[in-house]
């Protein structure tokens, strides 16, 4: 993200004024999909693209915000109980309200912001926006007394209460806590986390974006969540001596015990979740050993489970996964909620150029358009630039 680009637009919009500049990244998730609401593990990392904002207090009670990429402007009072109607403004408004709930006296400010997170790639530009403003509000109005976890949780609350998205905590967590060259294993049950080094010398990470999103009848996300909850409930009924809240608390033996009591579809969903829990832990162990071949193996197994057991993949994602396998790519899987979006690929340097070009050529031949290539570099979480 170009700091001079943001500063130029800020100065133009706000009569040559100068403020402070803040940045927060988007994220990738190496492995651990659809596990957050099952109390399991996720394995995200911050990336080097994200949201950058220049912010300057204006000694009033008015927020004056300019979204550079959208060429859109919004204005409201910090005491406004309604807030702006535009979605991008709701993210800023929500963070202000959450900081006020933490006891921070937020004053009026001018802001211009822009981003370079690829849209539709599942890299969470919304969390990057929330954390960017969290870092700014903390610095400008709270003397940096708000913790990083409070910023991440304020971002999640903003999604829930002011935007209407009932998201987990992974996106905001990754954007807030990211470190260059490090991935993070987050326990979505306890919120404990650990950093794991990710700086492979002979490999690259790249996203291949299908640029498609399939709309399905009904609510596939809620359907799968309900499947998981039904299986956990069936297991809990057999084990009153144990505290079983989610599939995170269940074993393969537990699952086998209720096989005759749950539907085949529910069994499939639970099979994926328990397998994914094991795969995340296997990747942690492999990364500690520097065994990227094992990491890649687990990525392929995750894609197979997401495609066949959890059934959240789509034709285009499966196509790119097969291209990766045919090209000798170390690891490949769909990333995100599914039904479109990206594959994330762990590729040996020597195979990288051929794989990328082959993916472009074959996808275009099959679907009539080129996929988007997004190189991945692991970067730092939200911070003040100047």
């Amino acid at each position: 993200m170009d700091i001079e680009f943001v500063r130029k637009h800020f100065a133009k919009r706000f009569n040559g004024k100068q403020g402070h500049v803040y940045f927060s990244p988007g994220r990738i998730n190496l492995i651990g999909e659809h596990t957050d609401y099952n109390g399991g593990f996720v394995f995200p990392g911050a990336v080097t693209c994200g949201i950058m904002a220049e912010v300057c207090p204006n000694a009033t009670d008015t927020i004056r915000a300019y979204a550079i990429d959208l060429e859109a402007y919004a204005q409201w009072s910090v005491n406004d109980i309604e807030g702006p109607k535009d979605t991008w403004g709701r993210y800023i408004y929500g963070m202000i309200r959450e900081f006020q709930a933490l006891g921070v006296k937020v004053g009026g400010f001018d802001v211009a912001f822009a981003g370079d997170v690829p849209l539709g790639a599942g890299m969470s530009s919304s969390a990057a926006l929330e954390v960017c403003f969290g870092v700014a509000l903390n610095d400008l109005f709270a003397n940096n007394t708000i913790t990083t976890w409070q910023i991440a949780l304020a971002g999640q609350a903003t999604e829930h209460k002011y935007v209407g998205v009932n998201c987990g905590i992974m996106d905001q967590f990754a954007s807030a806590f990211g470190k260059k060259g490090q991935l993070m294993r987050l326990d979505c049950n306890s919120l404990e986390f650990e950093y794991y080094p990710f700086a492979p010398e002979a490999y690259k990470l790249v996203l291949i974006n299908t640029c498609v999103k399939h709309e399905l009848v009904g609510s596939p996300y809620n359907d799968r969540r309900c499947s998981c909850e039904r299986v956990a409930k069936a297991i809990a009924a057999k084990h009153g001596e144990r505290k079983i809240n989610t599939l995170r608390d269940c074993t393969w033996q537990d699952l086998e015990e209720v096989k005759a009591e749950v539907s085949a579809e529910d069994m499939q969903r639970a099979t994926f979740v328990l397998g994914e829990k094991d795969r995340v832990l296997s990747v942690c162990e492999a990364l500690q050993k520097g065994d990227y071949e094992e990491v890649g193996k687990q990525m392929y197994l995750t894609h197979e489970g997401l495609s066949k057991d959890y059934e959240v993949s789509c034709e285009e994602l499966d196509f790119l996964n097969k291209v990766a396998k045919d090209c000798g790519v170390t690891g490949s899987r769909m990333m995100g909620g599914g039904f479109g979006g990206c594959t994330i690929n762990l590729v040996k340097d020597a195979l990288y150029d051929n794989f990328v070009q082959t993916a472009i050529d074959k996808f275009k031949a099959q679907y009539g358009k080129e996929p988007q290539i997004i190189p991945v570099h692991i970067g730092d979480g939200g911070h003040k630039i100047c």
Side-chain angles (χ1 to χ4, degrees):
M1 191 70 231
D2 183 1
I3 186 171
E4 294 307 320
F5 174 78
V6 173
R7 303 209 87 160
K8 179 184 72 174
H9 281 276
F10 182 87
K12 182 178 179 181
R13 171 61 59 167
F14 299 109
N15 301 316
K17 287 170 59 176
Q18 191 172 72
H20 294 287
V21 181
Y22 304 88
F23 174 83
S24 191
R27 64 101 186 103
I28 54 99
N29 185 32
L30 186 68
I31 200 163
E33 224 52 271
H34 287 276
T35 52
D36 53 352
Y37 53 83
N38 285 297
F41 300 98
V42 291
F43 212 83
V47 295
T48 51
C49 55
I51 300 291
M52 185 179 291
E54 184 166 4
V55 188
C56 183
N58 60 27
T60 74
D61 66 354
T62 301
I63 309 300
R64 298 191 294 235
Y66 181 57
I68 299 169
D69 300 328
L70 300 175
E71 298 183 352
Y73 177 79
Q75 180 174 312
W76 67 94
S77 167
V78 292
N79 302 311
D80 189 342
I81 60 171
E82 297 290 336
K85 290 184 170 56
D86 290 331
T87 300
W88 64 267
R90 302 293 295 170
Y91 292 114
I92 305 170
Y93 174 74
M95 291 301 291
I96 292 170
R97 298 292 286 183
E98 290 304 304
F99 265 66
Q100 289 172 329
L102 290 169
V104 177
K105 188 175 181 179
V106 179
F109 58 85
D110 301 331
V111 60
F113 69 93
D116 60 355
V117 182
L119 297 178
M123 299 175 74
S124 200
S125 58
S126 59
L129 181 61
E130 291 152 5
V131 173
C132 184
F133 276 89
V135 172
L137 294 174
N138 196 21
D139 183 53
L140 295 171
F141 300 107
N143 199 27
N144 291 306
T145 57
I146 302 301
T147 68
T148 306
W149 261 123
Q150 286 175 309
I151 290 173
L153 290 168
Q156 183 188 31
T158 291
E159 298 270 2
H160 290 185
K161 293 155 67 172
Y162 305 102
V163 183
V165 177
N166 192 27
C167 66
I169 191 59
M170 178 180 72
D171 295 347
Q172 292 81 9
F173 162 79
S175 190
F177 283 92
K179 282 187 180 180
K180 184 177 180 180
Q182 305 275 324
L183 298 180
M184 300 165 284
R185 185 185 75 183
L186 171 65
D187 183 331
C188 293
N189 193 28
S190 68
L191 297 186
E192 295 175 337
F193 68 95
E194 295 179 66
Y195 289 100
Y196 285 81
F198 188 82
E201 293 183 4
Y203 298 84
K204 288 184 173 71
L205 274 179
V206 62
L207 303 182
I208 311 290
N209 188 5
T210 64
C211 301
V212 301
K213 187 68 176 177
H214 293 286
E215 298 296 333
L216 300 185
V217 175
S219 177
Y221 173 88
N222 287 338
D223 290 346
R224 281 151 184 77
R225 185 165 186 162
C226 288
S227 283
C228 296
E229 290 171 351
R230 282 193 293 267
V231 175
K233 186 176 180 180
I235 292 171
K238 285 183 174 292
H239 293 279
E241 76 286 0
R242 287 162 52 196
K243 185 178 180 181
I244 297 176
N245 295 320
T246 66
L247 287 176
R248 160 69 182 280
D249 306 314
C250 304
T251 67
W252 287 107
Q253 183 179 340
D254 294 335
L255 188 60
E256 189 63 29
E257 287 176 3
V258 299
K259 189 173 183 178
E261 301 172 25
V262 300
S263 71
E265 181 176 273
D266 287 358
M267 191 72 179
Q268 276 183 242
R269 309 309 188 222
T271 296
F272 168 76
V273 172
L274 264 64
E276 189 72 345
K277 180 172 71 172
D278 292 346
R279 285 187 287 272
V280 173
L281 298 177
S282 294
V283 164
C284 292
E285 185 177 342
L287 283 176
Q288 288 175 322
K289 297 175 180 177
D291 186 354
Y292 290 96
E293 294 300 308
E294 180 63 23
V295 172
K297 174 185 172 185
Q298 298 300 325
M299 291 170 70
Y300 277 116
L301 289 172
T302 287
H303 184 84
E304 183 178 2
L306 286 165
S307 180
K308 294 180 180 178
D309 286 331
Y310 225 63
E311 297 181 298
V312 292
S313 187
C314 65
E315 178 187 329
E316 293 89 346
L317 289 167
D318 289 344
F319 181 85
L320 285 175
N321 181 257
K322 184 177 185 305
V323 170
K325 191 172 290 187
D326 291 345
C327 288
V329 168
T330 300
S332 176
R333 70 172 191 87
M334 56 155 280
M335 186 182 81
F339 313 112
C342 290
T343 60
I344 181 170
N345 305 272
L346 179 64
V347 192
K348 286 182 179 177
D349 287 348
L351 301 177
Y352 183 84
D353 290 342
N354 177 66
F355 165 60
V356 167
Q357 193 58 54
T358 301
I360 291 171
D361 293 344
K362 290 196 171 184
F363 193 88
K364 185 175 182 180
Q366 182 75 12
Y367 298 107
K369 62 178 181 179
E370 291 188 4
Q372 182 185 22
I373 308 302
I374 308 169
V376 173
H377 305 283
I378 305 301
D380 289 322
H383 60 278
K384 182 179 182 178
I385 296 177
C386 61

